[in-house]
Amino acid sequence: MEMKTLSRRKFLGATTLVGASAAGALAAPAVLAQTPFTIKMQTSWPASDIWMDFAKQYTDRVERMSAGRIRFELLPAGSVVGAFQVLDAVNDGVIDATHTVPVYWYGKHKAASLFGTGPVFGGSATTMLAWFHQGDGKDLYKELTQDIMGLNVVGFYGFPMPAQPFGWFKQPVATVADINGFKYRTVGLAADLLQTMGMSVAQLPGGEIVPAMERGVIDAFEFNNPSSDLRFGSQDVAKHYMLSSYHQASESFEFMFNRDVFEDLDDDLQAIIEYAVEAASTSNTALALDNYSADLVRLQEEHGVTVHRTSKEILAAQLEAWDTIIPTLEADAFMKKVLDSQREWVERVTYYELMGSADLALAYEHYFPGKLKMES
C-alpha cells in the first residue's frame, strides 16, 4: 500500500467533513467548531520590550480575523532559540514563525541588511516599505531567501520604523574625531559603516546591551527607539542620547513563517496571515508614535537624560562612509541588483515626497517656538 503524508490542511478538511456527516446524522447545529491551528511564533525581543506589544498587535488581529481558527503561542527571545537564531529555527521547523528584523540574519548573507538597514539614498522607512510592496522588493526578497539561500520560509514586511538614534553616549559627541576608537554596539551593515568611521563594533541582541555597557565591553550603543531603550535601562548607563542618524534609517519588521506551515493553511487563512501584517503596520505605527514620544519626555524629565541632534559633521561622514561601502557590496551581482532597484525607486519616489512635503520643522517652530533649539 502506498503511504502518503497527510498535510495539516487536508487533515483539518477531512475532520470537518467527517464532523459534518456526524452532525447531519445527529441533527446537530450546522456550524461546527474547528480545532484551532496553533502557530508557535518566537520573537527576537525580550519579554519586557515594547516590540513584544507590537508582535501581539499582529497575533491578536490574525486570531480575530480568522475567528479563532488560528491561534498563536507568542514567545520572547530565548524561549526556544536565541534572538539571532530565529531564521534557522523557522527554516528547520523548530518554531513555526518569528517576528524579527532581517539584519539579525545578516551573517547568513549580507543582502539581508539591504531589506532593512542598507545605504540611505534619501528615502524614509515608509519609502522603502513601499519599495518592498510596490517596487521590486518582494520579488527580490523571495529570490534571496528561496532561490539563492534555499530557505524554507515565507516572509512579509510591515511597520516603517522611525529613523533610529545614533545612540547612547557618556559624553556628547560632535565630530568624527570624538567617536574614533569607541567600542560601539550596532548590527548588520551599520557595523561595516561605523567601523569605516573608526569605531570598533560589537553585534549584540537587545537584551545584552546594557550589561555589556556596565562591564565596559562597549563604550556607546544604539538599539532602536526611546521606549525600548527606556525599558532596557539605557538611562542608567549613559545620559546623552543622540537622535538622528543614517546608520539605520529605513528598517521594518519581518514576519517570517515556515513555508510548509504557511502553505498547509487554507487560502483564506494564508491571506489573513499576509494582510494582517498591513493592519499591524498601521497599529504598530500609532503605538510607536504615542509611546516613543512619551518615553522620550520621560527620559529627559524623570531620568536626567540630555537629548541631542547628531551633528551634521557626523551625518555627512556617515554618507561618505556609505559611499565607500557601496562599491564593495555591488561586487555581488544580486546585491547590485537590489541597490540599483532601490536607487531607481528612491530617485523617483523621494523626489515627489520632498518636492511635495511642507517644511514641518518651520510649522513646529511657529507654534512651539524655541523647543527644537533647546533640544538641539
Side-chain angles (χ1 to χ4, degrees), residues 44-46 77-78 82-85 104 185 202-218 221-223 232 234 237:
S44 290
W45 329 125
F84 287 178
Q85 280 75 55
Y104 275 17
R185 180 273 176 192
Q203 301 202 41
L204 302 170
E208 297 180 18
I209 297 172
V210 169
M213 189 79 163
E214 290 174 330
R215 297 194 310 270
V217 175
I218 54 176
F221 62 92
E222 63 81 31
F223 178 70
F232 283 148
S234 303
V237 293

Side-chain angles (χ1 to χ4, degrees), residues 45-53 76 227-228 231-232:
W45 329 125
S48 61
D49 190 5
I50 190 172
W51 284 2
M52 285 296 291
D53 300 333
S227 296
S228 294
R231 296 188 190 194
F232 283 148

Side-chain angles (χ1 to χ4, degrees), residues 49-51 162-165 168 223-235 241 243 288 291-299 307:
D49 190 5
I50 190 172
W51 284 2
Q164 297 178 31
W168 292 84
F223 178 70
N224 186 276
N225 65 82
S227 296
S228 294
D229 291 346
L230 175 64
R231 296 188 190 194
F232 283 148
S234 303
Q235 67 279 3
Y241 197 23
L243 300 187
N291 281 268
Y292 291 5
S293 60
D295 287 334
L296 184 62
V297 172
R298 286 184 60 197
L299 286 168
V307 173

